[in-house]
Amino acid sequence: NLFGLILPLLIAMVAIPHLIASIGNERFGLLSLAWAMMSYAGVLDLGIGRALTQMVSRLRGQKMTYEIPIALATAARITMTAGLIGSVAIVLFSWSDGAKFIKAEHIPLSEIHYSILLLAIALPAQAMSATYRGMNEAYLNFRGISILRVVLGTINFAGPLVISFFSTNLAWLIASLVASRVGSLLIFRRLAFDCLVKNEPDYTPESLIYSPATAKMLFSFGGWVTVSSIISPMMVQMDRFLIASMISAAAVTVYVVPYELVAQSLVLVSAISSVIFPTLTRLMQERPREWLPYFQTWLFRVGGMMFLVTSSLIFLMPYILKIWLKGHFDPTSVMVGQILCLGIFSNSLGSMYYALLHAKGKAHVTAKIHMFELPLYLTFLYFALKEFGVVGAAIAWSSRITLDMLLLTWNARKLK
């Protein structure tokens, strides 16, 4: 799982500078928007993918595997419908001359128009892929997921780079992204059904039936996951927009560079917490006496690992930034990065408790925590920026993450 998360980052580091040099800043900026839009299209999944992971893991633990095909068929239909609605919205935006709202001096409107239409194909594929990935996670098929993630990551960055040698047309560049999303959907779907055939001897294609009752259960969990999926990115990105509006665009770089440096360490936690979630869900049903020692063991391991990582980053931050940024080094970035390291450590522990609450089916708890934090964080961020500048933004971010960790811990420890 860690391999599947890290390798695409390395590929991006190599490909992006060459891609910018090949297609220019303007087209790369629009390509970046396409990446961001496809990433945020995960919201169209409505949290059903994670809900399916929780439901299938629970059903396996309860030995009620005959209901798993029904859960898969129901989840697939929901996300297909949501994805198609998003696709129609994109088409309507394009037909209403939405390309005119995008300021591009050297790119023809027709090129932007066709690029937008291509994104309409990618959205349903992205939404449905989350469902089939959730099915694979429930069966702990992280090997298949990781291999596909590496392939997708490679195409995501190397695809446009290869095409740029022959054409800088934005539509062709985005076509490679669309092709990779459609391909990943088909492979994720194949892997999901392979899991069914391999692990459930009673499975037949006739058992893939849509169930309104199952849909209601998926929505009760997935709806709250969607709330978190909408609010969390806002809290992650809002500080950058406020820094740009209250201080300057240049100050954003002083903040973002150390943030991106320390945030990459969370890939270690993501690799573990995504495996912990389905495993805990099944253990809670199958061997209820074992899940707590299992969770505590991995909480201690993650805490110890991230303590070493963040402590090392705090100490090495001045040297890393000086070597990396060279003439563009700003001493303020060092303090920003060191403060953010405290939040990263809290985030690593909070991620484990987040997985625990979801394994117990308490997605509403995590969503309500995010709803509670949002106004507090934005208020604190505003005054911290006015008083301390970008250092205040780092203080506000780390404080919010620490509060999040404490609230998650408190709610998790109320579980029986």
Side-chain angles (χ1 to χ4, degrees), residues 136 141 144-145 148 186-195:
N136 280 277
N141 183 25
I145 293 172
L148 184 54
L186 296 176
I187 298 172
F188 267 133
R189 185 178 184 275
R190 174 63 183 269
L191 291 174
F193 281 103
D194 284 347
C195 288

Side-chain angles (χ1 to χ4, degrees), residues 90-102 109-110 112-113 116:
I90 292 293
V91 170
L92 292 176
F93 174 78
S94 179
W95 284 351
S96 60
D97 290 331
K100 292 181 179 179
F101 294 98
I102 300 174
L109 284 178
S110 59
I112 299 175
H113 172 76
I116 294 171

Side-chain angles (χ1 to χ4, degrees), residues 29-298:
L30 293 180
L31 184 64
S32 299
L33 289 178
W35 280 328
M37 188 172 182
M38 289 182 184
S39 176
Y40 206 74
V43 175
L44 292 174
D45 160 59
L46 304 177
I48 298 299
R50 194 164 178 87
L52 183 64
T53 302
Q54 198 271 347
M55 179 177 284
V56 172
S57 299
R58 176 173 53 80
L59 291 172
R60 294 185 72 202
Q62 294 174 336
K63 309 302 181 186
M64 298 171 62
T65 55
Y66 55 88
E67 292 190 10
I68 291 177
I70 298 173
L72 176 60
T74 303
R77 183 178 296 188
I78 293 170
T79 50
M80 180 181 68
T81 304
L84 289 174
I85 291 172
S87 182
V88 169
I90 292 293
V91 170
L92 292 176
F93 174 78
S94 179
W95 284 351
S96 60
D97 290 331
K100 292 181 179 179
F101 294 98
I102 300 174
K103 295 181 180 180
E105 297 180 5
H106 306 293
I107 305 176
L109 284 178
S110 59
E111 190 174 325
I112 299 175
H113 172 76
Y114 289 124
S115 300
I116 294 171
L117 286 176
L118 281 168
L119 290 176
I121 302 172
L123 293 190
Q126 188 84 351
M128 292 189 70
S129 289
T131 295
Y132 291 114
R133 185 177 65 246
M135 186 72 171
N136 280 277
E137 289 180 354
Y139 283 96
L140 305 181
N141 183 25
F142 289 99
R143 180 177 180 273
I145 293 172
S146 298
I147 292 171
L148 184 54
R149 185 179 279 142
V150 169
V151 173
L152 176 61
T154 302
I155 298 174
N156 199 46
F157 298 105
L161 178 60
V162 171
I163 290 173
S164 70
F165 296 143
F166 305 96
S167 172
T168 59
N169 188 294
L170 187 63
W172 282 109
L173 298 173
I174 291 179
S176 67
L177 307 184
V178 175
S180 69
R181 266 58 181 187
V182 173
S184 66
L185 166 62
L186 296 176
I187 298 172
F188 267 133
R189 185 178 184 275
R190 174 63 183 269
L191 291 174
F193 281 103
D194 284 347
C195 288
L196 269 180
V197 172
K198 185 177 179 180
N199 294 281
E200 313 302 342
D202 296 329
Y203 161 73
T204 61
E206 291 76 21
S207 59
L208 294 166
I209 305 169
Y210 175 84
S211 167
T214 302
K216 185 177 180 181
M217 287 189 285
L218 288 170
F219 272 122
S220 67
F221 185 98
W224 288 111
V225 173
T226 301
V227 171
S228 290
S229 299
I230 293 172
I231 294 176
S232 289
M234 289 175 60
M235 290 194 285
V236 169
Q237 303 292 340
M238 191 60 68
D239 46 10
R240 307 172 189 205
F241 289 100
L242 279 179
I243 290 170
S245 62
M246 294 177 63
I247 304 177
S248 68
V252 177
T253 303
V254 176
Y255 178 81
V256 167
V257 168
Y259 175 89
E260 292 298 334
L261 173 64
V262 300
Q264 298 310 316
S265 63
L266 286 174
V267 72
L268 302 170
V269 183
S270 299
I272 294 171
S273 62
S274 58
V275 182
I276 289 285
F277 167 52
T279 309
L280 276 176
T281 304
R282 187 174 179 183
L283 276 177
M284 286 174 178
Q285 305 299 327
E286 204 170 60
R287 300 192 294 275
R289 293 179 182 273
E290 296 181 18
W291 73 263
L292 183 57
Y294 171 81
F295 174 77
Q296 290 173 333
T297 298
W298 277 101

